[in-house]
Amino acid sequence: MNVSNEHIITIRDLWLGYQPGKYLVEAADVVVRKGEMVAVIGRNGSGKSTLLRTLAGIQKPLKGSIQIEKIPLSEYHSRKLATMISHVGTGLKTPENLTVFETVSLGRHPYTNWWGGLRKADRDKITESIRFVGMTPFLDKHLDTLSDGERQRVMIAMALAQDTKIILLDEPTAFLDIPNKMEIAEVLCNMKKSGKSVIFSTHDFDSAIQHADKLWLLHKNQILQGAPEDLGLAAMFDLIFKESELTFDDVSLRFRRSETPDKLIQYKEGEDRISRWTAMMLARTGFRVQSTGGTEIPKLTIEKSEEKITWNIQHGTSKKKFYSLYEVAIYLTQNT
Amino acid sequence: MRENRGFIWKIASLLLLLIAFGILDISIGTVQIPFRDLVPGLPGDSEINPQHRLILTGFRIPRLITALLAGAALSVSGLQMQTIFRNPLAGPYVLGISSGASLGAAIALLGTGAIASGMLARWGIVTAAWIGAATVMLLLLLVTLRIRSIMTILILGIMFSSSLSAIISIMQYFGNAVALKSFVIWSMGSLGDVSGKDLSLLVFTVIPGLILALFSVKGLNAMMMGEEYAGTLGVNILFVRILVFVSTSILAGSVTAFCGPIGFIGIAVPHITRLFIGRSEMRYLLPSTIVMGMVIMVISDMVSQLPGSDRILPVNAITSLIGIPVVIWVVIRRRKLYVD
């Protein structure tokens, strides 16, 4: 489904925080369109979780208005709100002896009777949600036997089973390895395709930039809103890590330390894999590369034969051979 | 759905066990009653020995019913406390319900100084114990309305309970010897003193308490992932807490008032049940806990009667001896107790 023009969440003049006078977010004016995927980024303590928790109705804003489908959040009955918005926080417990199916079935809570009994429609929705996150083979497995990535997917299935138009996820990819991160990102994209409005917070710039329709960048108590590319063009990413001397590299789409390397090395950069990884190592150990120079500047060359790669360093009168970049790095940091 | 079939088998075998131990429990004692006298309508001798009939209806059947009610009530309130406090060592008495009842009994027995005899004294103790438990419950509800953190409520409950015990110690110190002995005997717990009107009162308090507990099942399930998540599912946390506290107070309070404090059933039975059925879903766990609580209480009762002898041990000692190894096992198996 495409992103529609209609707003599902409208935030006007929103002030967040834990006590008046000390605000985490000040006078925010942002919107979410139907079917949009929004990534919330910002440093630790910038108010990402607070923002999501406020949208979920867990805590109240200090000032301002949040409207869900044009009705103020505060006017929703908690049970009705539970059918509109689901929230997967970071503080979820993992009870013992609870199976994946039973866990996901908690999401049906707003729809079941006083006893919590499941009807066929509920069971279908639960199995569908579990299939959506690819956990069908684990249906009867106990929650405490799963890996972090699997458990995270179960939590997302819980939100899906709740059958809400808006899904809020607080750091769904925290503590996950790269393949797991990619899989979760794929699940989020599929959720967006099925018409859900997804808002997730993350520290993972890569996936935010690649997948989100819109970023909310929390910086100095403001929410900067825009397409990832707009914020990139306006050099907004540099803003958030400025104090820690990081700059965002537009080419590699990565942050790197902004201090300029002070040590020099002679090295001819190439385009092949060996050259690229070698250049990475030199950048990491703080070397600036230049193509020529006198004998007082160490000179690094690469020799490649069928079976092995050899790095040669000529420094003054000494000549050394190395067979791994690790050894090269050690030598360079000790001898320059 | 294969899991469901397994569950039905387990529950069925537990019920069979309950029936078997129930029959055994009323047949043994100082007078052995033969099996054909226990089940009316069995072919063979049609006449039940009148003496046996008197023993059964006057003593053993009320005692069995008391054991069943006490087992169910204490286990369910323990399960509710463990779930709502997310603490495996919580039990029906963590909130001070039992201390409240004990203080009531202590005031009736030690404080008044006067020792009324017979039925009046018994009603006095039961009523006082009941009022004590109910007062603690009301105080607790007031605290619940004002304090959000469930862990703070737990700590307050424990502190409250300890201070009541301290007051009881002082009263014991100044009480006279006869009253002190009555109080000590009350505090050892007994299933055998409940009959007639007492018993119907116990039935009419424990059954509503259990029904209230059934209504807390859905909310407690949602709270397993934490209260915040339950809130986003539309659960009214305060309502569930009040439901659970009221139900627990009624269950643990009445059993304590009538039978005295019976230890460790409330802590141990939920763990034994979890181990047996292997599930935490409250819709399965709570009914199973009721049956398991009954079974274990009936077994404790049988052991306390020392089959083959004419002596009876205090039931509180037996439940402790059964319960303590379970609690030790829980602590050792999972050194990380999920208090946070």
Side-chain angles (χ1 to χ4, degrees), chain B residues 198-233:
Chain B
D198 279 14
L199 187 59
S200 46
L201 199 58
L202 187 59
V203 172
F204 284 114
T205 47
V206 167
I207 302 288
L210 289 177
I211 291 171
L212 279 184
L214 290 180
F215 276 94
S216 73
V217 158
K218 185 177 170 178
L220 287 177
N221 263 337
M223 284 186 191
M224 279 196 284
M225 305 295 284
E227 294 199 343
E228 193 176 289
Y229 175 70
T232 66
L233 290 175

Side-chain angles (χ1 to χ4, degrees), chain A residues 60-112:
Chain A
K60 295 205 161 25
L62 292 174
K63 216 169 89 180
S65 87
I66 301 171
Q67 293 191 341
I68 310 293
E69 292 200 323
K70 306 214 164 58
I71 301 168
L73 184 67
S74 53
E75 283 177 22
Y76 280 91
H77 186 268
S78 62
R79 186 124 182 184
K80 169 75 181 150
L81 192 63
T83 64
M84 291 289 301
I85 301 180
S86 50
H87 175 260
V88 177
T90 46
L92 287 181
K93 317 281 193 269
T94 31
E96 284 187 17
N97 286 343
L98 213 59
T99 65
V100 168
F101 185 90
E102 286 168 342
T103 310
V104 176
S105 74
L106 293 179
R108 296 306 293 168
H109 199 99
Y111 305 94
T112 56

Side-chain angles (χ1 to χ4, degrees), chain B:
Chain B
M1 297 311 102
R2 196 178 301 124
E3 282 220 345
N4 266 343
R5 201 176 301 155
F7 173 73
I8 288 166
W9 274 112
K10 282 176 180 169
I11 266 289
S13 51
L14 210 52
L15 282 169
L16 276 176
L17 208 65
L18 180 62
I19 293 168
F21 279 120
I23 292 173
L24 205 60
D25 187 41
I26 53 174
S27 86
I28 60 170
T30 43
V31 177
Q32 297 286 336
I33 296 177
F35 186 68
R36 62 171 186 278
D37 279 3
L38 295 173
V39 189
L42 212 67
D45 285 334
S46 53
E47 277 305 297
I48 296 177
N49 179 337
Q51 206 185 339
H52 285 175
R53 184 200 290 272
L54 187 67
I55 293 177
L56 282 178
T57 57
F59 300 96
R60 293 204 185 157
I61 289 175
R63 189 190 175 97
L64 175 66
I65 295 174
T66 309
L68 295 177
L69 291 172
L74 294 175
S75 311
V76 165
S77 47
L79 175 64
Q80 293 192 103
M81 291 296 103
Q82 288 173 6
T83 312
I84 205 151
F85 289 124
R86 312 185 51 74
N87 187 323
L89 293 183
Y93 301 145
V94 287
L95 298 175
I97 308 288
S98 141
S99 306
S102 299
L103 184 62
I107 289 171
L109 284 163
L110 303 165
T112 58
I115 303 156
S117 57
M119 201 60 196
L120 190 68
R122 167 129 192 92
W123 270 94
I125 298 164
V126 168
T127 314
W130 228 96
I131 291 171
T135 312
V136 170
M137 180 192 89
L138 286 177
L139 283 172
L140 203 71
L141 287 182
L142 283 180
V143 169
T144 310
L145 291 177
R146 302 214 36 120
I147 292 178
R148 280 187 61 193
S149 158
I150 195 77
M151 281 311 135
T152 311
I153 296 176
L154 177 63
I155 293 165
L156 287 178
I158 294 168
M159 291 303 114
F160 202 57
S161 169
S162 304
S163 45
L164 292 183
S165 305
I167 296 173
I168 295 169
S169 307
I170 295 173
M171 293 180 71
Q172 280 178 301
Y173 185 75
F174 288 109
N176 72 51
V178 182
L180 195 60
K181 190 177 181 203
S182 320
F183 180 73
V184 169
I185 288 175
W186 176 84
S187 68
M188 282 176 174
S190 161
L191 299 169
D193 298 335
V194 188
S195 58
K197 275 202 187 115
D198 279 14
L199 187 59
S200 46
L201 199 58
L202 187 59
V203 172
F204 284 114
T205 47
V206 167
I207 302 288
L210 289 177
I211 291 171
L212 279 184
L214 290 180
F215 276 94
S216 73
V217 158
K218 185 177 170 178
L220 287 177
N221 263 337
M223 284 186 191
M224 279 196 284
M225 305 295 284
E227 294 199 343
E228 193 176 289
Y229 175 70
T232 66
L233 290 175
V235 175
N236 186 337
I237 306 286
L238 186 63
F239 177 74
V240 178
R241 277 188 195 170
I242 291 176
L243 195 65
V244 165
F245 288 168
V246 170
S247 147
T248 289
S249 303
I250 291 177
L251 291 170
S254 350
V255 170
T256 310
F258 285 106
C259 311
I262 297 175
F264 288 97
I265 290 287
I267 299 181
V269 171
H271 292 298
I272 299 173
T273 316
R274 278 191 203 102
L275 187 71
F276 180 66
I277 67 165
R279 307 180 77 155
S280 291
E281 231 275 9
M282 294 294 275
R283 285 184 293 136
Y284 298 93
L285 189 53
L286 191 127
S288 318
T289 302
I290 292 179
V291 184
M292 186 65 92
M294 289 176 163
V295 171
I296 288 176
M297 201 67 209
V298 169
I299 294 175
S300 307
D301 183 46
M302 276 164 45
V303 175
S304 79
Q305 298 193 54
L306 291 177
S309 88
D310 53 1
R311 289 185 168 263
I312 294 179
L313 297 177
V315 73
N316 198 2
I318 307 300
T319 56
S320 301
L321 288 178
I322 293 178
I324 288 168
V326 175
V327 174
I328 291 175
W329 167 77
V330 166
V331 172
I332 289 174
R333 192 179 63 118
R334 23 188 291 178
R335 272 152 291 168
K336 182 181 139 265
L337 302 179
Y338 47 71
V339 183
D340 55 335

Side-chain angles (χ1 to χ4, degrees), chain A residues 59-233:
Chain A
Q59 65 187 75
K60 295 205 161 25
L62 292 174
K63 216 169 89 180
S65 87
I66 301 171
Q67 293 191 341
I68 310 293
E69 292 200 323
K70 306 214 164 58
I71 301 168
L73 184 67
S74 53
E75 283 177 22
Y76 280 91
H77 186 268
S78 62
R79 186 124 182 184
K80 169 75 181 150
L81 192 63
T83 64
M84 291 289 301
I85 301 180
S86 50
H87 175 260
V88 177
T90 46
L92 287 181
K93 317 281 193 269
T94 31
E96 284 187 17
N97 286 343
L98 213 59
T99 65
V100 168
F101 185 90
E102 286 168 342
T103 310
V104 176
S105 74
L106 293 179
R108 296 306 293 168
H109 199 99
Y111 305 94
T112 56
N113 60 12
W114 68 274
W115 174 244
L118 302 173
R119 285 162 305 165
K120 191 177 178 301
D122 297 313
R123 293 182 173 280
D124 291 348
K125 190 77 208 173
I126 296 162
T127 40
E128 183 200 316
S129 306
I130 294 174
R131 194 183 319 123
F132 198 96
V133 299
M135 288 294 286
T136 309
F138 298 85
L139 207 69
D140 289 329
K141 284 260 167 22
H142 282 177
L143 205 56
D144 45 340
T145 63
L146 302 182
S147 72
D148 287 343
E150 289 160 351
R151 201 172 304 142
Q152 197 56 50
R153 281 194 267 169
V154 174
M155 301 299 147
I156 293 173
M158 254 163 58
L160 283 169
Q162 208 174 325
D163 202 12
T164 55
K165 293 180 185 168
I166 302 167
I167 296 180
L168 310 172
L169 305 165
D170 201 354
E171 299 198 23
T173 57
F175 310 116
L176 299 186
D177 59 15
I178 291 171
N180 271 310
K181 275 186 181 172
M182 311 256 285
E183 280 167 28
I184 297 283
E186 198 187 320
V187 168
L188 298 192
C189 289
N190 289 337
M191 271 164 37
K192 174 195 145 68
K193 275 183 207 145
S194 68
K196 308 272 186 195
S197 306
V198 183
I199 306 173
F200 69 103
S201 68
T202 185
H203 285 290
D204 187 2
F205 266 73
D206 268 3
S207 76
I209 290 169
Q210 278 179 47
H211 304 295
D213 296 304
K214 188 191 266 178
L215 297 186
W216 286 351
L217 180 61
L218 268 60
H219 177 63
K220 290 199 168 154
N221 307 334
Q222 307 292 315
I223 304 181
L224 308 169
Q225 175 180 250
E229 301 77 15
D230 286 335
L231 296 184
L233 266 178

